[in-house]
Amino acid sequence: MPDVTHSLTAAHQLAYTYKRSLGPVLGRFFTGLRDKQIHGVRRADGKVFVPPREYDPETGDAMEEMVAVADAGVVVSWAWVKEPRPSQPLAKPFAYALIRLDDADTPLLHAVDAGSEAAMSTGMRVKARWIDEPAGAITDIACFEPG
Amino acid sequence: MRDVAVVAFTQAKSVRAERDLNETEILIPVIHDIKRGAGLETKDIDFVCSGSSDYLAGQSFAFVSGLDAIGAWPPVSESHVEMDGAWALYEAWVKIQTGHADTALVYGFGKPSMGDLSRTLALQLDPYCVVPLWPDAVSVAALQARLCLEGGVLSEREMAEVAVRDRGKGKSNPYAQVTGDFDVDALLAEPTFVSPLRRHDCSPISDGASAMIIAAGDRARDLAERPAWIRGLEHIVEPQDLGIRDLTTSRSTQIAADRAAVGKDKIDVAEVCGPFTHQSILVERALGLGESVDVNPSGGALSAHPLMAAGLTRIGEASKRIWDGSADRAVAHATSGPCLQQNLVCVLEGA
């Protein structure tokens, strides 16, 4: 009789086993995060994209002029997550939000820790809460918080 | 341009979780039925094109197993898109336009129940700036819905009305999944799911598949009494970054609709693929549909949303209205990506 108590199993982890360079625009953005600074890219007409894009979405022209922006801004839209999933930024109810940082023209998607849905509103001011040891990733900003 | 028409369409019943069959097994009866219905054997089909997503199976080249539904002999000329089957239809249509094929079998299939779909869909976002935050698909749609609501573009009542309309019409569709008579006020009294969205604003998660046969000119006239001629077929994509796009309108649908000449003549029936109620409204407006148009007689994506097949199914459902003579001119729509990032518009005519 086959031993049915010992079925054949193997660990399967989906992962990329290589690293790649992010290039001058996103590279600058993520290096900046390591220093707790947020950078955008300025188009010729002055419009500042955060997060920076390498190419103008309208014309396809390269955009290279990096500018520092504030780590605080206003909520443009938000979604209230009552039951966070394990990999999401906060383990308790929070908001995903589009946040337009001061000095930027396009909003950034991130999480807001407001405590309750009632404390959330479009137009509210939020500021970044940085992790203690930033490593050059978008998760260097733990989340944004009111203020 | 060659005249190309939809001549046959078949689909599997959408279910929340197909526990006994794998993706290929869902597909096999659909492919058998469409070939038998059209009276075609594999050797009569010049080109085969499919749409599916390896991300749903969590395995690279998962789509290759779908070819088992076609069989190993005789050999076929085939292709695949990692997109909804509606884009596989586009490729097949182009193939026929090149003159390298007169008939094509197109299919789309997906089994999202194998994973946490809302989480899997986060993987289509910017891999560096957004994916590490894992915004689920419902949250991303909710960001768009709030922009629309607070911008005065639409109301929660209008959104609920779309759910009531589609799920009511879906009652007559034996392949639909979530159907019935609902009341707008009762729906609006329900709590939010991911605010501002309520449960009724979200399409169901569906396992399913659909298949279609298209053919050129006289071949189409041989295969169907009243072929559904494809008179316009366009798809346009917008930037991936949610912060760059105007999320309160569907610009790409509008451009595709203009190029497909939707507004050239009266539309009788529209089949719109709106994964969320507010997105259905944005698409219907971008298509410029008038009051007299019968929208989503099948129940639309809110009644059944077999990912990777739902868009192709809209085109199949619109074709059925041409075949049975209840419509002379129909428009079908498919969407892909977060917040209506990419849209396809297909105009079908009976003559």
Side-chain angles (χ1 to χ4, degrees):
Chain A
M1 287 290 287
D3 182 356
V4 294
T5 61
H6 292 91
S7 57
L8 194 61
T9 61
H12 175 62
Q13 190 181 3
L14 201 59
Y16 293 110
T17 54
Y18 55 87
K19 291 182 177 178
R20 61 158 288 203
S21 159
L22 290 174
V25 174
L26 282 172
R28 184 76 193 87
F29 176 69
F30 286 107
T31 308
L33 292 179
R34 214 163 51 196
D35 302 325
K36 301 188 179 181
Q37 283 192 339
I38 303 174
H39 290 84
V41 66
R42 196 195 324 257
R43 191 165 69 180
D45 68 355
K47 183 172 177 172
V48 175
F49 293 78
V50 178
R53 304 287 83 175
E54 292 164 298
Y55 299 95
D56 184 339
E58 293 294 331
T59 64
D61 292 343
M63 298 194 290
E64 289 160 354
E65 188 194 348
M66 302 296 291
V67 290
V69 299
D71 69 350
V74 296
V75 169
V76 173
S77 185
W78 52 281
W80 187 251
V81 182
K82 289 178 185 169
E83 294 175 20
R85 287 174 161 77
S87 47
Q88 293 183 333
L90 290 153
K92 57 179 178 172
F94 70 98
Y96 278 113
L98 291 171
I99 301 159
R100 187 165 52 236
L101 299 174
D102 298 340
D103 315 315
D105 293 293
T106 67
L108 165 92
L109 191 152
H110 217 295
V112 175
D113 182 8
S116 72
E117 185 178 354
M120 283 300 302
S121 63
T122 302
M124 73 187 284
R125 285 201 63 81
V126 291
K127 62 173 191 290
R129 181 195 297 161
W130 296 90
I131 63 171
D132 291 336
E133 293 179 18
I138 194 68
T139 46
D140 289 346
I141 301 168
C143 61
F144 283 76
E145 56 191 22
Chain B
M1 296 290 273
R2 304 181 75 193
D3 287 337
V4 178
V6 180
V7 296
F9 175 72
T10 311
Q11 60 190 305
K13 177 172 168 53
S14 284
V15 294
R16 172 62 184 85
E18 175 52 73
R19 303 217 183 273
D20 298 329
L21 306 175
N22 65 28
E23 283 185 308
T24 309
E25 289 167 330
I26 293 170
L27 196 54
I28 286 170
V30 175
I31 299 295
H32 282 204
D33 284 355
I34 198 162
K35 287 199 293 190
R36 194 181 308 122
L40 293 176
E41 295 177 40
T42 302
K43 67 174 172 55
D44 303 317
I45 296 163
D46 300 330
F47 184 61
V48 176
C49 197
S50 60
S52 69
S53 174
D54 287 1
Y55 284 81
L56 299 183
Q59 189 181 356
S60 57
F61 293 96
F63 69 90
V64 176
S65 64
L67 277 170
D68 283 343
I70 307 296
W73 188 267
V76 294
S77 168
E78 76 85 35
S79 183
H80 174 264
V81 293
E82 185 86 5
M83 309 181 80
D84 186 290
W87 277 266
L89 167 70
Y90 189 90
E91 180 174 337
W93 178 82
V94 169
K95 185 84 169 181
I96 291 179
Q97 292 301 332
T98 65
H100 292 294
D102 292 331
T103 55
L105 167 63
V106 178
Y107 59 93
F109 61 105
K111 194 180 172 185
S113 68
M114 288 189 285
D116 176 357
L117 178 62
S118 199
R119 182 177 189 272
T120 303
L121 287 171
L123 292 168
Q124 64 189 331
L125 300 161
D126 180 313
Y128 307 112
C129 300
V130 183
V131 173
L133 303 169
W134 289 100
D136 56 277
V138 179
S139 293
V140 170
L143 292 172
Q144 180 183 34
R146 189 179 301 280
L147 283 168
C148 292
L149 288 166
E150 295 184 351
V153 173
L154 44 77
S155 67
E156 290 186 339
R157 176 163 291 272
E158 286 174 297
M159 289 163 64
E161 283 168 355
V162 169
V164 170
R165 178 196 70 191
D166 283 5
R167 289 176 177 161
K169 290 184 181 180
K171 287 190 300 177
S172 58
N173 180 356
Y175 303 99
Q177 180 185 336
V178 179
T179 64
D181 293 315
F182 296 93
D183 176 69
V184 170
D185 290 317
L187 291 181
L188 289 175
E190 292 286 320
T192 56
F193 174 37
V194 175
S195 169
L197 295 177
R198 294 180 175 82
R199 290 266 180 193
H200 69 254
D201 292 310
C202 310
S203 58
I205 294 171
S206 314
D207 290 349
S210 61
M212 176 180 286
I213 290 174
I214 61 172
D218 287 342
R219 200 79 180 89
R221 291 180 195 94
D222 290 343
L223 292 167
E225 208 170 299
R226 182 176 146 94
W229 297 103
I230 298 171
R231 297 299 185 204
L233 186 58
E234 285 289 348
H235 66 101
I236 305 287
V237 65
E238 295 179 47
Q240 183 186 40
D241 191 339
L242 298 171
I244 286 174
R245 294 160 50 194
D246 177 0
L247 297 176
T248 64
T249 181
S250 183
R251 188 176 163 199
S252 51
T253 301
Q254 210 165 12
I255 297 169
D258 284 346
R259 293 192 186 170
V262 173
K264 197 180 80 176
D265 207 345
K266 181 173 165 286
I267 293 284
D268 300 313
V269 164
E271 280 284 342
V272 170
C273 195
F276 296 88
T277 52
H278 66 282
Q279 294 177 349
S280 190
I281 294 169
L282 295 181
V283 170
E284 288 167 45
R285 290 180 185 172
L287 291 171
L289 302 179
E291 289 291 317
S292 65
V293 180
D294 182 5
V295 180
N296 289 347
S298 71
L302 288 166
S303 293
H305 190 215
L307 202 72
M308 316 317 284
L312 183 67
T313 298
R314 303 279 72 72
I315 299 167
E317 290 287 356
S319 299
K320 282 158 68 175
R321 291 352 189 244
I322 300 284
W323 299 334
D324 69 14
S326 59
D328 290 322
R329 196 159 185 270
V331 62
H333 159 265
T335 195
S336 180
C339 298
L340 301 171
Q341 185 192 359
Q342 185 168 12
N343 294 282
L344 180 146
V345 173
C346 179
V347 175
L348 299 155
E349 292 180 5

